[in-house]
């Protein structure tokens, strides 16, 4: 009896450990958000630094387009995501999904407030510049927590990189280089890790 219970407990533990270390499946979503945010930050830098020679009003057009394209692309990815990917119910994947969802809610609330404030005041709020370290902080916490739960060294490193860039971007507030640093951080901490996760995704059910 004791041996049977011991065997059962060992089996349950083995299953739990296997689930915790199952491949993470959000690589394509990290690539999408990391890639489009990187491009948007580069675009903001090129406009705000005068490199493109266009008026600052171009930023409103660019970020409006971002607000349409980014979520549309995400929902298309969601619709095309295979339902038979193994490991979707693993601890690592469930934690990663929920922590990013919580981060998304925070960012939605932040930018909704900034947009309303800008409309009411008739000018872009200075808070948009301060959104950069906040965004990178969300990236850092989400990647670090996901990496710790799934024992994924790539995501843990990505989390620490994003967190380091929180301080760096604070130092660059009110300078065009802020947006260039933010682009670099998004590429390193979100797009790059997403590419690595996507390459490691299982192709078929097991």
């Amino acid at each position: 009896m004791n041996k049977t219970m011991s065997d059962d407990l060992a089996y349950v533990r083995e299953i739990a450990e296997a689930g915790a270390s199952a491949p993470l499946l959000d690589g394509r979503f990290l690539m999408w958000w990391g890639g489009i945010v990187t491009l948007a930050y580069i675009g903001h830098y090129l406009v705000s630094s005068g490199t493109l020679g266009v008026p600052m009003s171009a930023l409103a057009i660019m970020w409006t387009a971002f607000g349409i394209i980014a979520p549309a692309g995400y929902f298309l990815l969601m619709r095309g995501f295979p339902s038979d990917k193994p490991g979707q119910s693993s601890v690592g994947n469930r934690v990663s999904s929920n922590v990013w969802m919580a981060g998304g809610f925070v960012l939605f609330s932040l930018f909704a407030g900034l947009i309303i404030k800008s409309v009411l005041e008739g000018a872009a709020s200075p808070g948009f510049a301060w959104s950069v370290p906040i965004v990178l902080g969300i990236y850092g916490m989400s990647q670090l927590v996901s990496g710790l739960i799934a024992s994924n060294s790539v995501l843990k490193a990505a989390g620490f990189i994003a967190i380091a860039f929180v301080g760096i971007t604070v130092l660059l507030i009110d300078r065009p280089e802020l947006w260039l640093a933010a682009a670099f951080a998004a590429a390193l901490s979100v797009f790059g890790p997403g590419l690595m996760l996507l390459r490691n995704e299982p192709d078929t059910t097991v």
Side-chain angles (χ1 to χ4, degrees):
M1 178 66 178
N2 289 336
K3 183 177 180 180
T4 301
M5 290 181 63
S6 178
D7 290 342
D8 289 343
L9 289 173
Y11 176 73
V12 171
R13 180 178 179 180
E14 182 181 351
I15 294 297
E17 290 176 346
S21 61
L24 296 177
L25 304 177
D26 51 0
R28 69 198 65 206
F29 306 113
L30 293 178
M31 280 187 64
W32 171 250
W33 284 109
I36 197 167
V37 168
T38 297
L39 291 176
Y41 281 156
I42 290 174
H44 196 120
Y45 167 74
L46 293 175
V47 173
S48 61
S49 65
T51 303
L52 292 181
V54 297
M56 292 294 285
S57 57
L59 292 174
I61 299 173
M62 185 193 75
W63 284 109
T64 298
F66 174 89
I68 296 172
I69 296 171
Y74 170 73
F75 286 119
L76 286 175
L77 285 176
M78 285 288 291
R79 289 188 61 182
F81 186 75
S83 59
D84 59 351
K85 283 282 188 180
Q88 292 190 60
S89 61
S90 71
V91 173
N93 279 299
R94 284 188 285 123
V95 168
S96 181
S97 176
N98 283 303
V99 74
W100 276 105
M101 180 179 66
F105 288 153
V106 172
L107 294 180
F108 178 82
S109 179
L110 170 66
F111 285 107
L114 287 173
I115 291 171
I116 293 172
K117 180 177 175 62
S118 298
V119 171
L120 293 176
E121 295 183 349
S125 171
F128 280 108
W130 282 100
S131 73
V132 171
I134 296 174
V135 168
L136 295 180
I138 294 294
Y139 289 173
M141 287 187 292
S142 299
Q143 294 287 57
L144 183 56
V145 170
S146 299
L148 289 171
I149 294 297
S151 298
N152 187 298
S153 58
V154 171
L155 291 188
K156 285 187 283 187
F160 284 121
I161 289 171
I163 291 169
F165 268 92
V166 171
I168 293 172
T169 52
V170 167
L171 294 174
L172 295 173
I173 291 292
D174 297 328
R175 296 178 59 179
E177 291 78 13
L178 164 70
W179 306 97
L180 198 57
F184 189 63
L188 281 180
S189 65
V190 184
F191 178 80
L195 176 60
M196 294 182 185
L197 290 185
L198 186 61
R199 291 176 61 182
N200 292 330
E201 279 190 14
D203 295 323
T204 57
T205 57
V206 293

